[in-house]
Amino acid sequence: MKAIEILALDATEPDNQRWKALVEQYAKTAASFEIHCWNEETEWIALALQYGNHKQTDWAFGKIVSGPITPEFLQMLLGLPKPTDTEIYNKMTPFFSIFFDNGFSSEHYGTELHVCEGASCENHIAL
């Protein structure tokens, strides 16, 4: 299933319902996730760690949490309200980047959605 390559959700999005619908659609065919957070986003790192484990990387500025896509994880992700700190980004999610193992990614707080397939995903997804 490859429906989008790149989709930008800009400041005209009044809420995060379109983002949630796309995340839910692509989660159906994915088995695992990675969430990338900046080091100072301790609240969101702690939340992600409730659904996965810290992944050892050499990324000095952030943390990566990986785990299985479970009904509980998806319920948490889709249940989050749209962030209110939207001065820099019209954030759809509090997580800087979310990657699914099927080639879907939500980046820059959900303002950019990507889908890739095949060998091109090797450099796109860090799973």
Side-chain angles (χ1 to χ4, degrees), residues 50-68:
Q50 293 178 30
Y51 301 92
N53 298 302
H54 181 255
K55 182 177 179 178
Q56 295 297 323
T57 68
D58 60 356
W59 184 27
F61 304 107
K63 304 288 184 221
I64 298 176
V65 176
S66 63

Side-chain angles (χ1 to χ4, degrees), residues 19-126:
W19 178 85
K20 287 181 178 184
L22 289 164
V23 168
E24 184 173 31
Q25 175 185 343
Y26 284 95
K28 290 177 184 176
T29 61
S32 60
F33 72 87
E34 275 192 4
I35 290 180
H36 297 200
C37 295
W38 297 104
N39 285 329
E40 61 270 14
E41 297 173 327
T42 55
E43 176 183 1
W44 306 118
I45 294 167
L47 179 60
L49 284 169
Q50 293 178 30
Y51 301 92
N53 298 302
H54 181 255
K55 182 177 179 178
Q56 295 297 323
T57 68
D58 60 356
W59 184 27
F61 304 107
K63 304 288 184 221
I64 298 176
V65 176
S66 63
I69 295 179
T70 62
E72 295 80 14
F73 168 77
L74 195 55
Q75 181 179 5
M76 175 278 295
L77 192 60
L78 298 176
L80 291 170
K82 184 178 185 310
T84 57
D85 58 332
T86 57
E87 296 79 34
I88 298 173
Y89 293 103
N90 184 29
K91 295 178 179 180
M92 302 292 130
T93 179
F95 298 116
F96 183 67
S97 296
I98 304 166
F99 297 94
F100 293 167
D101 65 349
N102 63 357
F104 175 84
S105 67
S106 166
E107 299 177 56
H108 297 108
Y109 302 102
T111 61
E112 295 177 22
L113 304 179
H114 301 259
V115 175
C116 66
E117 292 181 324
S120 66
C121 289
E122 290 176 15
N123 294 324
H124 184 72
I125 296 185

